Amino acid sequence: MRSLGAVGGAVVLALTATGCGLGSDLGGNGEKIAIGIKFDQPGLGLKNADGSYTGFDVDVATYVAKKLGYSEDDIVWKEAPSAERENLIKNGDVKFVVATYSINEKRLAEVDFAGPYFLTHQDLLVRGDEVSITKVEDLNSRKLCSVTGSTSAQNVKEKLAPKAALQQFGGYSECLKGLEEKKVDALTTDAAILAGYASQQQHWGKFKLVGLSLSDENYGIGLKKGDTALKGDINKALGEMVSDGTWRKLVRKHFSLSSYKSEPPPTIRN
């Protein structure tokens, strides 16, 4: 079932034939839903060369959208870089965001979250032959890379290795290139994201996870603040995804080729 807010919004937007976000993309098959995902995270949210989208977050979003009454053909995927997720939600460019979106107090001040639906931990990715970085303190006076808008790099810089030279880019793929070319010494973000990069065929043997648990990162589905009906509908869908076995199937599908071991599904918050 679609939430009353979503249905009401669709009626208004259909009558006015104007607007942004969800209502601006009406097609011959009926109402469309715009969902924000990452485009550059293998295993989680990746736009492929043929224009298709794959990853754990993509499949989670597709499952939730179906429970809300939308088919896969009704989904319009929107790129949601880390630094733009709150803006996409608040501006109505997307209905919700499923993009390795960790729930924290700062973000809760701007948007609401359904979930969490996945728990991972912050780690470090280094070159495969790196032997001098085995703990976070080893990053002091070394070059650390992460993406703009990510909490991971700031966590290291402010709390764990304050003397690290932090470089921030628009996407993780830029950090990965810098790591490969020895322009940076380590890439930090969530272990699930790092495992996705390390397990790509073209990267086999080039990189490795250090194996740290620097923080707990609970991924939630971001949505407009105050949309309690949609939040409730998404939480119900996430609960069904776990109970019907789909969650476990998706974890095996997307993470079984890497050494990454996922946590059990986290408890959904009201």
Side-chain angles (χ1 to χ4, degrees), residues 15-103:
L15 289 173
T16 60
T18 60
C20 63
L22 175 65
S24 66
D25 214 331
L26 302 178
N29 293 328
E31 183 185 349
K32 300 288 186 178
I33 182 170
I35 302 174
I37 58 170
K38 291 293 180 67
F39 279 14
D40 66 343
Q41 290 181 353
L44 290 153
L46 184 67
K47 184 176 182 179
N48 301 305
D50 62 1
S52 63
Y53 301 88
T54 55
F56 180 76
D57 280 353
V58 175
D59 285 348
V60 169
T62 301
Y63 182 98
V64 169
K66 184 176 180 180
K67 291 293 184 178
L68 296 178
Y70 299 92
S71 71
E72 189 170 352
D73 290 338
D74 294 329
I75 299 173
V76 178
W77 300 111
K78 301 285 188 180
E79 186 172 16
S82 295
E84 294 299 321
R85 289 175 296 201
E86 287 85 19
N87 289 333
L88 288 169
I89 294 169
K90 291 191 290 185
N91 293 339
D93 296 318
V94 296
K95 194 66 176 177
F96 55 83
V97 168
V98 190
T100 59
Y101 204 1
S102 297
I103 302 170

Coordinates of all heavy atoms in Angstrom, one line a residue, residues 15-103:
L15 N -2.9 16.7 -11.3 CA -3.8 17.7 -11.7 C -3.1 18.9 -12.2 O -3.5 19.6 -13.2 CB -4.7 18.1 -10.5 CG -5.8 17.0 -10.2 CD1 -6.5 17.5 -8.9 CD2 -6.8 16.8 -11.3
T16 N -2.0 19.3 -11.5 CA -1.2 20.5 -11.9 C -0.3 20.2 -13.0 O 0.1 21.2 -13.7 CB -0.5 21.0 -10.7 OG1 0.5 20.0 -10.3 CG2 -1.4 21.4 -9.6
A17 N 0.1 19.0 -13.2 CA 1.1 18.6 -14.2 C 2.4 19.4 -14.1 O 3.2 19.6 -15.0 CB 0.6 18.8 -15.6
T18 N 2.7 19.8 -12.9 CA 3.9 20.5 -12.6 C 4.5 20.0 -11.3 O 3.9 19.1 -10.6 CB 3.7 22.0 -12.4 OG1 2.8 22.3 -11.4 CG2 3.2 22.6 -13.7
G19 N 5.7 20.5 -10.9 CA 6.2 20.1 -9.6 C 7.6 19.5 -9.8 O 8.1 19.5 -10.9
C20 N 8.1 19.0 -8.7 CA 9.5 18.4 -8.8 C 9.5 17.0 -8.1 O 8.5 16.6 -7.6 CB 10.5 19.3 -8.1 SG 10.1 19.5 -6.3
G21 N 10.7 16.4 -8.2 CA 10.9 15.1 -7.5 C 10.0 14.0 -8.1 O 9.8 13.8 -9.3
L22 N 9.2 13.4 -7.1 CA 8.4 12.3 -7.5 C 7.4 12.6 -8.5 O 7.2 11.8 -9.5 CB 7.7 11.8 -6.2 CG 6.7 10.7 -6.3 CD1 7.3 9.4 -6.7 CD2 5.9 10.5 -5.0
G23 N 6.7 13.7 -8.4 CA 5.6 14.0 -9.3 C 6.0 14.6 -10.6 O 5.2 14.7 -11.5
S24 N 7.3 14.9 -10.8 CA 7.7 15.5 -12.1 C 8.0 14.5 -13.1 O 8.4 14.8 -14.3 CB 8.9 16.4 -11.9 OG 10.0 15.6 -11.5
D25 N 7.9 13.2 -12.8 CA 8.3 12.1 -13.7 C 7.2 11.2 -14.0 O 7.3 10.0 -13.7 CB 9.5 11.4 -13.1 CG 10.5 10.9 -14.2 OD1 10.0 10.7 -15.3 OD2 11.7 10.8 -14.0
L26 N 6.1 11.7 -14.5 CA 4.9 10.8 -14.8 C 5.1 10.3 -16.2 O 5.4 11.0 -17.1 CB 3.6 11.6 -14.7 CG 3.4 12.3 -13.3 CD1 2.1 13.1 -13.3 CD2 3.3 11.2 -12.2
G27 N 4.8 9.0 -16.4 CA 4.9 8.4 -17.7 C 3.7 7.6 -18.1 O 2.7 7.6 -17.4
G28 N 3.8 6.9 -19.2 CA 2.6 6.2 -19.7 C 2.2 5.0 -18.8 O 1.0 4.6 -18.9
N29 N 3.1 4.5 -18.0 CA 2.7 3.4 -17.1 C 2.2 3.9 -15.8 O 2.0 3.1 -14.9 CB 4.0 2.5 -16.8 CG 4.4 1.8 -18.1 OD1 3.6 1.5 -18.9 ND2 5.7 1.6 -18.2
G30 N 1.9 5.2 -15.6 CA 1.4 5.7 -14.4 C 2.4 6.4 -13.6 O 3.4 6.9 -14.1
E31 N 2.1 6.5 -12.3 CA 3.0 7.3 -11.4 C 4.4 6.7 -11.2 O 4.5 5.5 -11.1 CB 2.3 7.4 -10.0 CG 3.0 8.2 -9.0 CD 2.4 8.1 -7.7 OE1 1.3 7.6 -7.5 OE2 3.0 8.6 -6.7
K32 N 5.4 7.5 -11.2 CA 6.7 7.1 -11.0 C 7.2 7.5 -9.6 O 6.6 8.4 -9.0 CB 7.7 7.8 -12.0 CG 7.4 7.5 -13.5 CD 7.7 6.1 -13.9 CE 7.5 5.8 -15.3 NZ 8.0 4.5 -15.7
I33 N 8.2 6.8 -9.1 CA 8.8 7.2 -7.8 C 10.3 7.4 -8.0 O 11.0 6.5 -8.6 CB 8.5 6.1 -6.8 CG1 9.1 6.5 -5.4 CG2 9.0 4.7 -7.2 CD1 8.6 5.6 -4.3
A34 N 10.8 8.5 -7.5 CA 12.2 8.8 -7.6 C 12.9 8.4 -6.3 O 12.5 8.8 -5.2 CB 12.4 10.3 -7.9
I35 N 13.9 7.6 -6.5 CA 14.7 7.0 -5.3 C 16.2 7.4 -5.5 O 16.7 7.1 -6.6 CB 14.5 5.5 -5.2 CG1 13.0 5.2 -5.1 CG2 15.3 5.0 -4.0 CD1 12.7 3.7 -5.1
G36 N 16.8 7.9 -4.5 CA 18.2 8.2 -4.5 C 19.1 7.0 -4.1 O 18.8 6.3 -3.1
I37 N 20.1 6.7 -4.9 CA 21.0 5.7 -4.6 C 22.4 6.2 -5.0 O 22.6 7.2 -5.6 CB 20.7 4.4 -5.4 CG1 20.7 4.7 -6.9 CG2 19.4 3.7 -5.0 CD1 20.7 3.4 -7.8
K38 N 23.4 5.4 -4.6 CA 24.8 5.7 -5.1 C 25.0 5.1 -6.5 O 24.4 4.0 -6.8 CB 25.8 5.1 -4.1 CG 25.9 5.8 -2.8 CD 26.4 7.3 -2.9 CE 26.5 8.0 -1.6 NZ 27.5 7.4 -0.7
F39 N 25.7 5.7 -7.3 CA 26.0 5.2 -8.6 C 27.4 4.6 -8.8 O 27.7 4.0 -9.8 CB 25.9 6.4 -9.7 CG 24.5 6.7 -10.1 CD1 23.4 6.3 -9.4 CD2 24.3 7.5 -11.2 CE1 22.1 6.6 -9.8 CE2 23.0 7.9 -11.6 CZ 21.9 7.4 -10.9
D40 N 28.2 4.7 -7.7 CA 29.7 4.4 -7.8 C 30.1 3.4 -6.7 O 31.3 3.4 -6.4 CB 30.5 5.6 -7.9 CG 30.5 6.4 -6.5 OD1 29.6 6.2 -5.7 OD2 31.5 7.2 -6.3
Q41 N 29.2 2.6 -6.2 CA 29.6 1.7 -5.1 C 29.3 0.3 -5.4 O 28.1 -0.2 -5.3 CB 28.9 2.1 -3.8 CG 29.4 3.4 -3.2 CD 28.7 3.8 -1.9 OE1 27.8 3.2 -1.5 NE2 29.2 4.9 -1.3
P42 N 30.2 -0.4 -6.0 CA 30.0 -1.8 -6.3 C 29.5 -2.6 -5.1 O 30.0 -2.5 -4.0 CB 31.3 -2.3 -6.9 CG 32.3 -1.3 -6.3 CD 31.6 0.0 -6.2
G43 N 28.5 -3.5 -5.4 CA 28.0 -4.3 -4.3 C 26.9 -3.6 -3.5 O 26.1 -4.3 -2.8
L44 N 26.7 -2.3 -3.7 CA 25.7 -1.6 -2.9 C 24.8 -0.7 -3.9 O 23.6 -0.9 -3.9 CB 26.4 -0.7 -1.9 CG 27.0 -1.5 -0.7 CD1 28.2 -0.8 -0.1 CD2 25.9 -1.8 0.3
G45 N 25.5 0.2 -4.6 CA 24.7 1.0 -5.6 C 25.6 1.3 -6.7 O 26.5 2.2 -6.6
L46 N 25.4 0.7 -7.9 CA 26.3 0.9 -9.0 C 25.5 1.0 -10.3 O 24.7 0.2 -10.6 CB 27.3 -0.3 -9.1 CG 28.4 -0.2 -10.2 CD1 29.4 0.9 -9.9 CD2 29.1 -1.5 -10.4
K47 N 25.9 2.1 -11.0 CA 25.3 2.3 -12.4 C 26.2 1.6 -13.4 O 27.4 1.9 -13.5 CB 25.2 3.7 -12.7 CG 24.5 4.0 -14.1 CD 24.3 5.4 -14.4 CE 23.5 5.6 -15.7 NZ 23.3 7.0 -16.0
N48 N 25.7 0.6 -14.1 CA 26.6 -0.2 -15.0 C 26.7 0.5 -16.3 O 25.9 1.4 -16.7 CB 26.0 -1.6 -15.1 CG 25.9 -2.3 -13.8 OD1 26.9 -2.5 -13.1 ND2 24.7 -2.8 -13.4
A49 N 27.6 0.0 -17.2 CA 27.8 0.6 -18.5 C 26.6 0.5 -19.4 O 26.4 1.4 -20.2 CB 29.0 -0.1 -19.1
D50 N 25.7 -0.5 -19.2 CA 24.5 -0.6 -20.0 C 23.4 0.2 -19.5 O 22.3 0.1 -20.0 CB 24.2 -2.1 -20.1 CG 23.8 -2.7 -18.8 OD1 23.8 -2.0 -17.7 OD2 23.5 -3.9 -18.8
G51 N 23.6 1.0 -18.4 CA 22.5 1.8 -17.9 C 21.7 1.2 -16.8 O 20.8 1.8 -16.2
S52 N 22.0 -0.1 -16.5 CA 21.3 -0.8 -15.4 C 21.9 -0.5 -14.1 O 23.0 0.1 -14.0 CB 21.3 -2.3 -15.6 OG 22.6 -2.8 -15.6
Y53 N 21.2 -0.8 -13.0 CA 21.7 -0.5 -11.6 C 21.7 -1.8 -10.8 O 20.7 -2.6 -10.9 CB 20.8 0.5 -11.0 CG 20.7 1.8 -11.7 CD1 19.7 2.0 -12.8 CD2 21.6 2.8 -11.5 CE1 19.7 3.1 -13.5 CE2 21.5 4.0 -12.2 CZ 20.5 4.2 -13.2 OH 20.5 5.3 -13.9
T54 N 22.7 -2.0 -10.1 CA 22.9 -3.2 -9.2 C 23.4 -2.9 -7.9 O 24.1 -1.9 -7.7 CB 23.8 -4.3 -9.9 OG1 25.1 -3.6 -10.2 CG2 23.2 -4.8 -11.2
G55 N 23.2 -3.8 -6.9 CA 23.7 -3.6 -5.6 C 22.7 -3.9 -4.5 O 21.5 -4.0 -4.8
F56 N 23.2 -4.1 -3.3 CA 22.3 -4.4 -2.2 C 21.3 -3.3 -1.9 O 20.1 -3.6 -1.8 CB 23.2 -4.6 -0.9 CG 22.4 -5.0 0.3 CD1 21.9 -6.2 0.5 CD2 22.2 -4.0 1.3 CE1 21.2 -6.5 1.7 CE2 21.5 -4.3 2.5 CZ 21.0 -5.6 2.7
D57 N 21.8 -2.1 -1.9 CA 20.9 -0.9 -1.7 C 19.8 -0.8 -2.8 O 18.7 -0.5 -2.6 CB 21.6 0.4 -1.6 CG 22.3 0.6 -0.2 OD1 22.0 -0.2 0.7 OD2 23.0 1.6 -0.1
V58 N 20.2 -1.1 -4.0 CA 19.3 -1.1 -5.2 C 18.2 -2.1 -5.0 O 17.0 -1.8 -5.2 CB 20.0 -1.3 -6.5 CG1 19.0 -1.4 -7.7 CG2 21.1 -0.2 -6.7
D59 N 18.6 -3.3 -4.5 CA 17.6 -4.4 -4.3 C 16.7 -4.1 -3.1 O 15.5 -4.4 -3.2 CB 18.3 -5.7 -4.2 CG 18.8 -6.3 -5.5 OD1 18.4 -5.7 -6.6 OD2 19.6 -7.2 -5.5
V60 N 17.2 -3.5 -2.1 CA 16.4 -3.1 -0.9 C 15.4 -2.0 -1.4 O 14.2 -2.1 -1.0 CB 17.3 -2.6 0.2 CG1 16.5 -1.9 1.3 CG2 18.1 -3.7 0.8
A61 N 15.9 -1.0 -2.1 CA 15.0 0.0 -2.6 C 13.9 -0.5 -3.5 O 12.7 -0.1 -3.4 CB 15.8 1.1 -3.3
T62 N 14.2 -1.5 -4.3 CA 13.2 -2.1 -5.2 C 12.2 -2.8 -4.5 O 11.0 -2.8 -4.7 CB 14.0 -3.0 -6.2 OG1 14.9 -2.2 -7.0 CG2 13.0 -3.6 -7.2
Y63 N 12.6 -3.6 -3.4 CA 11.7 -4.4 -2.6 C 10.8 -3.4 -1.9 O 9.5 -3.7 -1.9 CB 12.5 -5.2 -1.6 CG 11.7 -6.0 -0.7 CD1 11.5 -7.4 -1.0 CD2 11.1 -5.5 0.5 CE1 10.8 -8.2 -0.1 CE2 10.3 -6.3 1.3 CZ 10.2 -7.7 1.0 OH 9.4 -8.5 1.8
V64 N 11.3 -2.4 -1.3 CA 10.5 -1.4 -0.5 C 9.5 -0.7 -1.5 O 8.3 -0.6 -1.1 CB 11.3 -0.4 0.2 CG1 10.5 0.8 0.7 CG2 12.1 -1.0 1.3
A65 N 9.9 -0.3 -2.6 CA 9.0 0.3 -3.6 C 7.9 -0.6 -4.0 O 6.7 -0.1 -4.1 CB 9.8 0.8 -4.8
K66 N 8.2 -1.8 -4.2 CA 7.1 -2.8 -4.6 C 6.1 -2.9 -3.5 O 4.9 -3.0 -3.7 CB 7.8 -4.2 -4.8 CG 6.8 -5.2 -5.3 CD 7.4 -6.5 -5.7 CE 6.4 -7.6 -6.1 NZ 7.1 -8.9 -6.5
K67 N 6.5 -2.9 -2.2 CA 5.6 -3.0 -1.1 C 4.8 -1.7 -1.0 O 3.7 -1.8 -0.5 CB 6.4 -3.2 0.2 CG 7.0 -4.6 0.4 CD 6.0 -5.7 0.5 CE 6.6 -7.0 0.7 NZ 5.6 -8.1 0.9
L68 N 5.3 -0.6 -1.5 CA 4.6 0.6 -1.5 C 3.6 0.7 -2.7 O 2.8 1.7 -2.8 CB 5.5 1.8 -1.5 CG 6.4 2.0 -0.3 CD1 7.4 3.2 -0.5 CD2 5.6 2.2 1.0
G69 N 3.7 -0.2 -3.6 CA 2.7 -0.3 -4.7 C 3.3 0.1 -6.0 O 2.6 0.3 -7.0
Y70 N 4.7 0.2 -6.1 CA 5.3 0.6 -7.4 C 6.1 -0.6 -8.0 O 6.8 -1.4 -7.3 CB 6.4 1.7 -7.1 CG 5.8 3.0 -6.6 CD1 5.7 3.2 -5.2 CD2 5.3 4.0 -7.4 CE1 5.2 4.3 -4.7 CE2 4.8 5.1 -6.9 CZ 4.7 5.3 -5.5 OH 4.2 6.5 -5.0
S71 N 6.0 -0.8 -9.3 CA 6.7 -1.8 -9.9 C 8.2 -1.3 -10.2 O 8.4 -0.1 -10.0 CB 6.1 -2.2 -11.3 OG 6.2 -1.2 -12.2
E72 N 9.0 -2.3 -10.6 CA 10.4 -1.9 -10.9 C 10.4 -0.8 -12.0 O 11.3 0.1 -12.0 CB 11.2 -3.1 -11.3 CG 12.7 -2.9 -11.4 CD 13.5 -4.1 -11.5 OE1 12.9 -5.2 -11.4 OE2 14.7 -4.0 -11.7
D73 N 9.5 -1.0 -13.0 CA 9.5 0.0 -14.1 C 9.0 1.4 -13.7 O 9.2 2.4 -14.4 CB 8.5 -0.5 -15.2 CG 9.1 -1.7 -15.9 OD1 10.3 -1.9 -15.9 OD2 8.3 -2.5 -16.5
D74 N 8.4 1.5 -12.5 CA 8.0 2.8 -12.0 C 9.1 3.6 -11.3 O 8.9 4.8 -11.0 CB 6.8 2.6 -11.0 CG 5.6 2.0 -11.6 OD1 5.3 2.3 -12.8 OD2 4.8 1.3 -10.9
I75 N 10.2 2.9 -11.1 CA 11.3 3.6 -10.3 C 12.2 4.4 -11.3 O 12.6 4.0 -12.3 CB 12.2 2.6 -9.6 CG1 11.3 1.7 -8.6 CG2 13.3 3.2 -8.9 CD1 12.1 0.6 -8.0
V76 N 12.4 5.7 -10.8 CA 13.4 6.5 -11.5 C 14.6 6.7 -10.5 O 14.4 7.3 -9.4 CB 12.8 7.9 -11.8 CG1 13.9 8.8 -12.4 CG2 11.6 7.8 -12.7
W77 N 15.7 6.1 -10.9 CA 16.9 6.2 -10.0 C 17.6 7.5 -10.2 O 17.9 8.0 -11.3 CB 17.9 5.1 -10.4 CG 17.3 3.7 -10.2 CD1 17.0 2.8 -11.2 CD2 16.9 3.0 -9.0 NE1 16.5 1.7 -10.7 CE2 16.4 1.8 -9.4 CE3 17.0 3.4 -7.7 CZ2 16.0 0.8 -8.4 CZ3 16.5 2.5 -6.7 CH2 16.0 1.2 -7.1
K78 N 17.9 8.2 -9.0 CA 18.6 9.4 -9.0 C 19.9 9.3 -8.2 O 19.9 8.6 -7.2 CB 17.7 10.5 -8.3 CG 16.4 10.7 -8.9 CD 16.5 11.6 -10.1 CE 15.1 12.0 -10.7 NZ 15.2 12.8 -11.9
E79 N 21.0 9.8 -8.8 CA 22.3 9.7 -8.1 C 22.2 10.6 -6.8 O 21.8 11.7 -6.8 CB 23.4 10.2 -8.9 CG 24.8 10.0 -8.3 CD 25.9 10.2 -9.2 OE1 25.7 10.9 -10.3 OE2 27.0 9.8 -8.9
A80 N 22.7 10.0 -5.7 CA 22.6 10.6 -4.4 C 24.0 10.6 -3.7 O 24.3 9.8 -2.9 CB 21.6 9.9 -3.5
P81 N 24.9 11.5 -4.2 CA 26.2 11.6 -3.6 C 26.1 12.0 -2.1 O 25.1 12.6 -1.7 CB 26.9 12.8 -4.3 CG 26.1 13.0 -5.6 CD 24.7 12.5 -5.3
S82 N 27.1 11.6 -1.3 CA 27.0 11.8 0.2 C 26.6 13.2 0.6 O 25.8 13.4 1.4 CB 28.3 11.4 0.8 OG 28.6 10.0 0.6
A83 N 27.3 14.2 -0.1 CA 27.0 15.6 0.3 C 25.7 16.1 -0.1 O 25.3 17.2 0.3 CB 28.2 16.4 -0.2
E84 N 25.0 15.4 -1.0 CA 23.7 15.9 -1.5 C 22.5 15.2 -1.0 O 21.4 15.6 -1.4 CB 23.8 15.9 -3.1 CG 24.8 16.8 -3.7 CD 24.5 18.3 -3.4 OE1 23.4 18.7 -3.3 OE2 25.5 19.0 -3.1
R85 N 22.6 14.2 -0.2 CA 21.5 13.4 0.2 C 20.4 14.2 0.9 O 19.2 14.1 0.6 CB 21.9 12.2 1.0 CG 22.7 11.2 0.2 CD 23.3 10.1 1.1 NE 24.3 10.5 2.0 CZ 25.2 9.7 2.6 NH1 25.2 8.4 2.3 NH2 26.1 10.2 3.4
E86 N 20.8 15.0 1.9 CA 19.8 15.8 2.6 C 19.1 16.8 1.6 O 17.8 17.0 1.7 CB 20.4 16.6 3.7 CG 20.8 15.7 4.9 CD 22.2 15.1 4.8 OE1 22.9 15.6 3.9 OE2 22.4 14.1 5.5
N87 N 19.8 17.4 0.7 CA 19.2 18.4 -0.2 C 18.2 17.7 -1.1 O 17.2 18.2 -1.4 CB 20.3 19.1 -1.0 CG 21.1 20.1 -0.2 OD1 20.6 20.6 0.8 ND2 22.3 20.3 -0.6
L88 N 18.6 16.5 -1.6 CA 17.7 15.8 -2.5 C 16.3 15.5 -1.8 O 15.3 15.6 -2.5 CB 18.3 14.5 -3.0 CG 19.5 14.6 -4.0 CD1 20.2 13.3 -4.1 CD2 19.0 15.1 -5.3
I89 N 16.4 15.1 -0.6 CA 15.2 14.8 0.2 C 14.4 16.1 0.5 O 13.2 16.1 0.2 CB 15.6 14.1 1.5 CG1 16.2 12.7 1.2 CG2 14.3 13.9 2.4 CD1 16.8 12.1 2.4
K90 N 15.0 17.1 1.0 CA 14.3 18.3 1.4 C 13.7 19.0 0.2 O 12.7 19.7 0.3 CB 15.3 19.2 2.2 CG 15.6 18.6 3.6 CD 16.3 19.6 4.5 CE 17.7 19.9 4.0 NZ 18.4 20.8 4.9
N91 N 14.4 19.0 -0.9 CA 13.9 19.6 -2.1 C 12.8 18.9 -2.9 O 12.3 19.3 -3.9 CB 15.1 19.9 -3.1 CG 16.0 21.0 -2.6 OD1 15.7 21.7 -1.7 ND2 17.3 20.9 -3.1
G92 N 12.6 17.6 -2.4 CA 11.6 16.8 -3.1 C 12.0 16.2 -4.4 O 11.2 15.7 -5.2
D93 N 13.4 16.1 -4.6 CA 13.9 15.5 -5.8 C 13.8 14.0 -5.8 O 13.8 13.4 -6.9 CB 15.3 15.9 -6.0 CG 15.5 17.4 -6.2 OD1 14.7 18.0 -7.0 OD2 16.5 18.0 -5.7
V94 N 13.7 13.5 -4.6 CA 13.5 12.0 -4.4 C 12.4 11.8 -3.4 O 12.2 12.7 -2.5 CB 14.8 11.3 -4.0 CG1 15.8 11.4 -5.2 CG2 15.3 11.8 -2.7
K95 N 11.8 10.6 -3.4 CA 10.9 10.3 -2.3 C 11.6 9.8 -1.1 O 11.3 10.1 0.0 CB 9.9 9.2 -2.8 CG 8.7 9.0 -1.9 CD 7.8 10.2 -1.9 CE 6.5 10.0 -1.1 NZ 5.7 11.3 -1.0
F96 N 12.6 9.0 -1.4 CA 13.5 8.5 -0.3 C 14.9 8.2 -0.8 O 15.1 8.0 -2.0 CB 12.9 7.4 0.5 CG 12.5 6.2 -0.2 CD1 13.4 5.2 -0.6 CD2 11.1 6.0 -0.6 CE1 13.0 4.0 -1.3 CE2 10.7 4.8 -1.3 CZ 11.7 3.9 -1.6
V97 N 15.8 8.0 0.1 CA 17.2 7.7 -0.3 C 17.7 6.4 0.4 O 17.5 6.3 1.6 CB 18.2 8.9 0.1 CG1 19.6 8.5 0.0 CG2 17.9 10.1 -0.7
V98 N 18.2 5.5 -0.5 CA 18.8 4.3 0.0 C 20.3 4.2 -0.5 O 20.5 3.7 -1.6 CB 18.0 3.0 -0.5 CG1 18.5 1.8 0.3 CG2 16.5 3.2 -0.3
A99 N 21.2 4.8 0.3 CA 22.5 5.1 -0.3 C 23.6 5.0 0.8 O 24.2 6.0 1.1 CB 22.5 6.4 -1.0
T100 N 23.8 3.9 1.4 CA 24.7 3.7 2.5 C 24.7 4.9 3.4 O 25.7 5.5 3.8 CB 26.2 3.5 2.0 OG1 26.6 4.6 1.2 CG2 26.3 2.2 1.1
Y101 N 23.4 5.2 3.9 CA 23.1 6.4 4.6 C 23.1 6.2 6.1 O 22.0 5.8 6.6 CB 21.8 6.9 4.1 CG 21.4 8.4 4.2 CD1 22.3 9.3 4.7 CD2 20.2 8.8 3.7 CE1 22.0 10.6 4.8 CE2 19.9 10.2 3.8 CZ 20.8 11.1 4.4 OH 20.5 12.4 4.4
S102 N 24.2 6.4 6.8 CA 24.3 6.1 8.2 C 23.4 7.1 9.0 O 23.4 8.3 8.8 CB 25.7 6.2 8.7 OG 26.5 5.3 8.1
I103 N 22.7 6.6 9.9 CA 21.8 7.4 10.8 C 22.7 8.0 11.9 O 23.4 7.3 12.6 CB 20.7 6.5 11.5 CG1 19.9 5.8 10.4 CG2 19.8 7.3 12.4 CD1 18.9 4.7 11.0

